[in-house]
């Protein structure tokens, strides 16, 4: 998963901060003199003169009029305000001047200057608590825009400690900021405040994702599941929500529930042709949960449609599913294709066995002979015994005797024991196929877990969470280290030798890096 696939968390906070701040700064401009005089008891308690002298009021009114112009003549405004700030003015007048100048700096995207002026306005002591708190929240957002998220959080929490109201929007911003800082426990109360005080019908999918991220990081799986299910209630067609549900089930050892969720995605049309790996995973899930016929049907349909690549590995998976389902007639064209592509003896032998199971003895005999001539068979004795069996069925008794004679060179291959040998070796093949499926399920579970972690890092991670190619750096669980590297790239397939795995890993890692670099170039 690369950073360009989702919203950069720093941009997420900047966007929220800029929108909130723009409105807040507009509200911080000086009210008219009558409104100032009507502040009542709060002014009397402050004992601060909250009026403007004529010498200051007139240029302030001029500045307000200039601010209404399009485009705003910022340099002219700053020239007036810079002159005013040099005068001998009251604390309240200074607070007004600094707030207005800070607002102009904000419009110029001079956020550092805006922060200094807003802090200066607070430090005059002329602001009432509501004004001071509102301005400090603005300051916090500006710090976040400058990527100083920790200081932004501190400024906002000062405002809260001084009596500012924790609104839903402020809680969301603080939750996002704490997530970016990976201060999950501290930020939980803000995330929950927002989540609990905004109706689910008013939430975006990102709101559900934010709450889910907190619960996932704090390992509160039951709460995480509650949030994911709620997101699906309101966004039933959101593929990411379904994938999060599947990943959660897999991460918590609920593989059968993960399988059921995968089925629902497929039945609801949420798995598309471009989701080749997920379609393949679904087929393998069916096979693992004792429905190989359904798995093979899905796999074959998507190979024929071009959604899943027609390579030897996928064809072998399909053939094994048909054989597991005892649908040897369906397995035959698949095995014939594999035998044609590879040209090796083992795949020719598998095809011969399929013909034998279908009582198509002439084809079986031809392919048993082909397999033995190609060589490289793991069970050559069985091949000779089976060849003898089909020759006998065809009435070629001399040919059968010759095959059985060759079979005696490999141990227990007498004709009377041939059916039993086939039964035992069928059990061995089934067990090997099960090990392969278990390994594939583990790979699928790890992929879902690591993709989820990569999504979280992409959403809320800091620059050090990514490598030089823009790939997220994930914490690979011990059970997954055999199959994936720290960038969530698969480095080994089931039953690969170390040499095969090394070649496979090299190709995978290079492809993932090229994809990440391409994404960076587009970004």
């Amino acid at each position: 998963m690369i950073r360009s696939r989702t919203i950069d968390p720093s941009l997420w906070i900047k966007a929220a901060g800029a929108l909130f701040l723009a409105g807040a700064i507009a509200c911080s401009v000086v009210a008219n003199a009558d409104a100032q005089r009507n502040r009542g008891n709060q002014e009397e308690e402050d004992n601060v003169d909250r009026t403007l002298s004529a010498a200051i009021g007139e240029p302030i009114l001029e500045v307000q009029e200039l601010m209404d112009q399009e485009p705003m003549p910022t340099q002219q405004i700053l020239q007036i305000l810079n002159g005013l700030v040099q005068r001998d003015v009251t604390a309240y007048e200074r607070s007004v001047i600094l707030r207005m100048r800070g607002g102009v700096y904000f419009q110029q995207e001079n956020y550092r200057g805006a922060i200094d002026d807003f802090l200066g306005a607070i430090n005059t002591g002329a602001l009432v608590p509501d004004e001071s708190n509102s301005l400090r929240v603005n300051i916090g957002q500006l710090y976040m825009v400058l990527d100083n998220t920790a200081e932004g959080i501190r400024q906002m929490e000062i405002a809260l400690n001084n009596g500012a109201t924790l609104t839903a929007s402020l809680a969301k911003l603080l939750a996002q900021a704490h997530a970016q800082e990976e201060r999950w426990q501290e930020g939980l109360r803000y995330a929950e405040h927002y989540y609990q005080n905004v109706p689910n019908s008013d939430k975006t999918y990102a709101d559900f994702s934010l709450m889910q991220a907190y619960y996932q990081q704090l390992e509160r799986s039951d709460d995480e599941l509650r949030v994911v299910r709620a997101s699906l209630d309101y966004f039933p067609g959101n593929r990411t929500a379904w994938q999060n549900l599947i990943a959660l089930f897999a991460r918590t050892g609920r593989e059968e529930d993960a399988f059921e969720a995968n089925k629902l995605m497929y039945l609801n049309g949420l798995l598309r042709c471009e989701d080749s790996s997920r379609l393949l995973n679904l087929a393998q899930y069916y096979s693992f949960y004792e429905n190989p016929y359904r798995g093979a049907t899905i796999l074959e349909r998507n190979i024929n449609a071009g959604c899943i690549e027609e390579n030897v590995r996928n064809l072998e998976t399909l053939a094994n599913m048909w054989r597991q389902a005892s649908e040897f007639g369906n397995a035959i064209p698949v095995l014939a294709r594999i035998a044609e592509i590879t040209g090796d003896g083992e795949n020719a032998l598998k095809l011969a066995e399929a013909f034998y199971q279908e009582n198509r003895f002439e084809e079986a005999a031809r392919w048993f002979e082909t397999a033995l001539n190609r060589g490289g068979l793991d069970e050559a004795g069985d091949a000779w015994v089976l060849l003898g069996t089909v020759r006998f069925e065809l009435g070629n008794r001399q040919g059968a005797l010759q095959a059985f004679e060759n079979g005696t060179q490999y141990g227990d291959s007498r004709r009377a024991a041939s059916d039993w040998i086939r039964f035992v070796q069928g059990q061995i093949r089934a067990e090997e196929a099960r090990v392969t499926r278990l390994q594939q399920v583990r790979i699928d579970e790890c992929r879902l877990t690591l993709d989820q972690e990569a999504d979280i890092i992409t959403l809320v991670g800091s620059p050090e969470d990514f490598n030089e190619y823009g790939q997220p750096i994930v914490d690979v669980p011990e059970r997954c280290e055999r199959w994936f590297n720290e960038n969530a790239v698969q480095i080994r397939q089931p039953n690969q030798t170390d040499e095969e795995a090394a070649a496979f890993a090299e190709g995978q890692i290079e492809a993932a890096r090229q994809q990440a670099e391409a994404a960076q170039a587009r970004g």
Side-chain angles (χ1 to χ4, degrees):
M1 198 72 61
I2 56 177
R3 194 180 185 93
S4 64
R5 285 187 59 179
T6 188
I7 298 175
D8 187 318
S10 64
L11 296 180
W12 193 8
I13 289 179
K14 287 179 182 180
L19 290 173
F20 189 18
L21 185 61
I25 288 175
C27 294
S28 73
V29 177
V30 182
N32 61 46
D34 288 339
Q36 296 170 28
R37 285 192 289 270
N38 287 332
R39 294 186 181 270
N41 293 334
Q42 193 168 27
E43 276 197 17
E44 293 177 6
E45 293 173 3
D46 295 340
N47 196 25
V48 173
D49 179 8
R50 298 179 63 83
T51 61
L52 300 177
S53 66
I56 298 300
E58 290 180 3
I60 288 296
L61 289 175
E62 181 184 356
V63 167
Q64 288 180 318
E65 293 174 356
L66 291 172
M67 283 183 168
D68 291 335
Q69 295 182 15
E70 290 291 343
M72 183 171 33
T74 54
Q75 292 304 318
Q76 184 179 354
I77 293 171
L78 286 177
Q79 184 177 4
I80 296 171
L81 294 174
N82 288 339
L84 293 177
V85 83
Q86 301 299 322
R87 296 188 187 181
D88 183 13
V89 295
T90 67
Y92 177 67
E93 290 173 335
R94 178 169 294 278
S95 74
V96 170
I97 296 167
L98 291 175
R99 277 187 288 173
M100 296 186 79
R101 191 172 68 174
V104 176
Y105 284 150
F106 171 77
Q107 295 294 333
Q108 292 183 320
E109 298 186 5
N110 178 4
Y111 301 135
R112 182 70 258 180
I115 289 172
D116 291 341
D117 274 1
F118 290 159
L119 286 173
I122 292 173
N123 291 335
T124 63
L127 303 182
V128 297
D130 285 348
E131 293 173 329
S132 179
N133 289 337
S134 177
L135 206 53
R136 200 172 287 278
V137 169
N138 296 340
I139 292 168
Q141 292 171 62
L142 284 171
Y143 272 117
M144 291 179 186
V145 173
L146 293 174
D147 293 324
N148 190 346
T149 309
E151 181 60 23
I153 292 172
R154 191 181 77 85
Q155 290 291 335
M156 291 181 183
E157 291 186 334
I158 290 174
L160 291 174
N161 291 335
N162 288 339
T165 300
L166 181 59
T167 62
S169 57
L170 180 56
K172 178 179 178 179
L173 186 57
L174 280 165
Q176 293 167 342
H178 279 83
Q180 186 175 359
E181 292 291 295
E182 297 187 10
R183 292 160 58 178
W184 302 103
Q185 191 62 56
E186 297 173 56
L188 178 63
R189 72 183 184 98
Y190 299 117
E192 289 186 328
H193 180 93
Y194 176 78
Y195 188 82
Q196 294 165 5
N197 285 278
V198 174
N200 284 349
S201 58
D202 292 341
K203 292 186 179 82
T204 65
Y205 177 69
D207 295 336
F208 287 103
S209 295
L210 179 63
M211 190 72 261
Q212 182 200 350
Y214 269 90
Y215 287 139
Q216 182 186 359
Q217 292 297 321
L218 296 174
E219 299 183 354
R220 290 173 53 171
S221 300
D222 290 343
D223 289 322
E224 183 183 356
L225 180 58
R226 172 173 53 82
V227 172
V228 173
R229 282 177 167 162
S231 72
L232 283 169
D233 287 340
Y234 287 89
F235 299 94
N238 188 295
R239 286 162 22 104
T240 301
W242 282 100
Q243 291 162 7
N244 287 341
L245 180 63
I246 293 167
L248 176 57
F249 282 144
R251 179 161 32 88
T252 54
R254 298 170 60 175
E255 286 84 2
E256 193 162 358
D257 287 331
F259 169 47
E260 293 300 325
N262 258 314
K263 283 201 297 186
L264 285 173
M265 281 194 74
Y266 182 76
L267 294 173
N268 289 318
L270 296 176
L271 288 180
R272 303 167 185 164
C273 190
E274 61 265 27
D275 299 319
S276 58
S277 62
R278 295 190 183 278
L279 290 166
L280 179 59
N281 293 343
L282 176 62
Q284 291 167 333
Y285 265 126
Y286 271 109
S287 178
F288 179 71
Y289 285 107
E290 309 303 331
N291 193 349
Y293 183 90
R294 176 64 172 161
T297 300
I298 291 172
L299 181 55
E300 186 169 74
R301 179 185 302 129
N302 283 282
I303 288 177
N304 291 339
C307 301
I308 296 177
E309 183 182 359
E310 185 188 20
N311 56 35
V312 171
R313 179 169 59 87
N314 291 338
L315 289 172
E316 286 178 342
T317 298
L318 175 59
N320 288 337
M321 287 182 182
W322 283 129
R323 294 167 73 196
Q324 183 188 355
S326 298
E327 293 287 339
F328 295 98
N330 290 330
I332 284 173
V334 182
L335 291 168
R337 177 65 175 148
I338 296 172
E340 176 186 352
I341 293 172
T342 63
D344 63 28
E346 279 296 331
N347 287 310
L349 179 60
K350 291 176 183 178
L351 178 58
E353 290 171 347
F355 279 124
Y356 175 77
Q357 291 293 335
E358 289 291 291
N359 295 326
R360 295 167 61 175
F361 298 124
E362 290 185 0
E363 293 100 329
R366 185 167 65 252
W367 279 102
F368 277 126
E369 292 167 0
T370 299
L372 289 163
N373 289 334
R374 288 180 178 179
L377 301 180
D378 294 334
E379 305 292 345
D382 287 341
W384 283 114
V385 170
L386 288 170
L387 176 59
T389 301
V390 297
R391 284 177 175 176
F392 177 82
E393 293 287 350
L394 290 170
N396 183 359
R397 297 183 182 274
Q398 291 303 315
L401 288 174
Q402 181 181 358
F404 289 142
E405 181 62 29
N406 289 335
T408 61
Q409 301 176 25
Y410 297 91
D412 295 335
S413 55
R414 290 170 300 180
R415 179 180 175 187
S418 62
D419 287 343
W420 174 249
I421 292 171
R422 277 191 47 76
F423 172 80
V424 172
Q425 292 178 340
Q427 292 296 307
I428 294 173
R429 286 194 296 272
E431 183 59 28
E432 290 175 346
R434 183 171 180 82
V435 170
T436 299
R437 292 195 300 274
L438 287 172
Q439 289 180 350
Q440 188 61 54
V441 168
R442 173 54 55 85
I443 290 172
D444 295 341
E445 180 265 327
C446 288
R447 180 182 292 108
L448 290 168
T449 299
L450 295 176
D451 281 353
Q452 176 67 19
E453 183 177 351
D455 286 341
I456 294 298
I457 291 173
T458 304
L459 182 66
V460 298
S462 55
E464 56 267 22
D465 293 326
F466 299 85
N467 66 14
E468 62 182 349
Y469 302 100
Q471 297 170 292
I473 301 172
V474 300
D475 184 14
V476 182
E478 184 177 354
R479 68 183 185 281
C480 302
E481 291 177 351
R482 177 177 175 81
W483 311 106
F484 293 85
N485 69 5
E486 65 175 4
N487 300 124
V489 176
Q490 186 176 348
I491 57 174
R492 179 183 286 268
Q493 294 279 26
N495 293 333
Q496 281 189 327
T497 66
D498 290 342
E499 182 178 356
E500 291 169 341
F504 173 79
E506 182 178 358
Q508 290 286 97
I509 291 170
E510 180 59 27
R513 286 179 176 174
Q514 290 177 0
Q515 183 182 5
E517 290 175 338
Q520 284 184 326
R522 291 194 303 270

